Amino acid sequence: LVAEPVVGQTSKIDSLFSFVKNYQQGDTIKVNALNELSSHYQWTNFYHSLQYAEQALASAETLHFNKGIATAKYLKGHCYWALGDSEIAIEMGLESIKISEKDHLETILAEGYQILARSYMDQLEGAKAVAYINKAEKISIKTKNWEQLSRVYNLAGVIQFIDNNIDSALQLYNKALSISQERGTPKIHQARTVSNIGECYLKTNEKLAFDYFNQALTIARETTNRAAEAGISAIVGIALVKKGNYHEADTYLQASLRLSRELGLKRVTRHVYSGLAELRTKEGKTAEALGYMKNFYEVRDSLLNASKTR
């Protein structure tokens, strides 16, 4: 059931959910199904993804099923990263890597490296982020895992973009998109890549940038990649503020705020609050701008203190 291709993301999730609900044996098949269900919720609902990964991990540890443990831990790591807790994400990534290295689980090992690359990127540890994404790239090329390799190149591009290496970032994004299109990998991951390409053009070719943004939003909605939709809407809203299209900017920013808060995407929420503060300032609504800045600092501080609070 887990391996059989099902038409449509929703049908696949429904099939897995039904299987997990009705399958009573606590064996490795159940662990694999729970991990697969967690994987399908990645980028669409991180709370659900985390819930199923935790269930998979508990069962896998009881069975001493190392592959299931390593998979559940990298899935949990990705959820914690998305929900703004990089320290726990790194912990989960390291534990997944330790098991994967010992048992030669190369595909899972590359996922663990990506967790570390994302988390260190957020902590502005650029050298560590580059080192880990390079390790993930080598494995993905070796195993010819094109879906994974496409995601690796996209993340490598983000790391370069943050370091203001725009040309390098654009090259990596285009490589990621080309692999995805040529190899027919799941389209759900293309939304972010297309939007990232748009960001590279924002300062030099505004019209082209917005063409990419619109295409990215269409892909995100078609594939129900709600995390991508929230992030891209924020990017578009802030770009529209700078263009002076205040009413349209507010529409995108408010839509992003609703979705990011629903999904628990604190980085996106922080980004939106910053954009709304700038927008209200330009509209002359100083009190509202101050309110959004207060919200911005609260989310920022919660990101910094999430692990200590937990």
Side-chain angles (χ1 to χ4, degrees):
L1 175 67
V2 174
E4 182 178 346
V6 182
V7 178
Q9 180 81 353
T10 302
S11 298
K12 188 175 287 188
I13 291 176
D14 289 344
S15 297
L16 281 166
F17 179 78
S18 177
F19 175 79
V20 167
K21 183 179 179 181
N22 296 313
Y23 191 79
Q24 299 302 317
Q25 299 181 55
D27 55 15
T28 59
I29 295 174
K30 182 73 170 283
V31 172
N32 288 337
L34 286 165
N35 275 330
E36 185 73 9
L37 196 51
S38 173
S39 179
H40 280 297
Y41 276 113
Q42 298 271 290
W43 303 111
T44 60
N45 190 316
F46 295 106
Y47 294 116
H48 287 349
S49 181
L50 182 59
Q51 173 191 348
Y52 289 117
E54 287 176 338
Q55 290 178 28
L57 180 59
S59 296
E61 287 179 332
T62 299
L63 297 167
H64 306 287
F65 177 33
N66 282 350
K67 184 177 180 181
I69 293 171
T71 301
K73 287 198 171 185
Y74 92 69
L75 289 167
K76 284 185 65 176
H78 186 255
C79 291
Y80 280 120
W81 166 81
L83 295 171
D85 201 333
S86 290
E87 288 190 30
I88 294 184
I90 290 170
E91 180 184 344
M92 291 292 103
L94 287 171
E95 291 177 6
S96 178
I97 286 168
K98 183 178 180 180
I99 296 169
S100 300
E101 287 178 335
K102 181 181 177 182
D103 289 12
H104 307 290
L105 306 170
E106 291 185 307
T107 296
I108 300 172
L109 180 58
E111 295 294 345
Y113 286 145
Q114 286 189 80
I115 299 301
L116 296 187
R118 289 183 186 280
S119 300
Y120 282 122
M121 174 185 71
D122 280 354
Q123 295 187 350
L124 303 180
E125 294 277 359
K128 288 184 180 180
V130 169
Y132 281 116
I133 203 62
N134 287 344
K135 288 184 178 184
E137 179 193 9
K138 289 178 181 177
I139 294 173
S140 300
I141 291 173
K142 177 185 174 183
T143 58
K144 297 182 180 180
N145 188 327
W146 307 117
E147 184 267 342
Q148 188 178 69
L149 184 60
S150 176
R151 289 187 287 108
V152 164
Y153 282 136
N154 181 66
L155 178 53
V158 174
I159 294 168
Q160 292 299 316
F161 187 87
I162 288 174
D163 204 28
N164 206 33
N165 298 322
I166 307 302
D167 290 341
S168 297
L170 183 58
Q171 184 180 14
L172 288 162
Y173 293 148
N174 281 317
K175 188 181 289 189
L177 186 60
S178 294
I179 291 171
S180 180
Q181 292 173 337
E182 291 169 7
R183 300 290 179 172
T185 67
K187 198 174 180 181
I188 190 170
H189 301 298
Q190 289 184 13
R192 276 291 192 184
T193 304
V194 172
S195 174
N196 290 340
I197 292 172
E199 279 199 275
C200 290
Y201 286 115
L202 195 53
K203 291 183 179 179
T204 58
N205 191 331
E206 192 177 82
K207 182 182 182 305
L208 183 59
F210 275 90
D211 287 343
Y212 276 110
F213 292 152
N214 290 330
Q215 182 185 347
L217 275 174
T218 299
I219 295 170
R221 289 163 181 162
E222 286 177 351
T223 59
T224 65
N225 188 336
R226 302 169 76 218
E229 182 180 353
I232 297 164
S233 295
I235 292 166
V236 173
I238 291 171
L240 287 169
V241 171
K242 298 186 186 304
K243 281 186 69 175
N245 296 0
Y246 297 154
H247 179 73
E248 192 177 2
D250 188 65
T251 300
Y252 278 98
L253 289 171
Q254 295 295 347
S256 177
L257 182 61
R258 287 191 296 272
L259 192 52
S260 64
R261 291 175 69 177
E262 178 187 342
L263 297 175
L265 306 177
K266 290 183 178 180
R267 293 180 194 80
V268 178
T269 302
R270 177 185 60 180
H271 198 45
V272 173
Y273 281 143
S274 176
L276 284 168
E278 183 181 356
L279 173 60
R280 294 295 182 259
T281 298
K282 291 191 173 184
E283 290 177 328
K285 300 176 181 178
T286 308
E288 287 188 47
L290 288 172
Y292 282 125
M293 282 307 299
K294 180 182 177 182
N295 292 336
F296 166 81
Y297 286 120
E298 287 175 352
V299 175
R300 186 199 65 171
D301 291 345
S302 73
L303 280 168
L304 293 174
N305 296 323
S307 297
K308 292 177 183 178
T309 302
R310 192 184 309 279

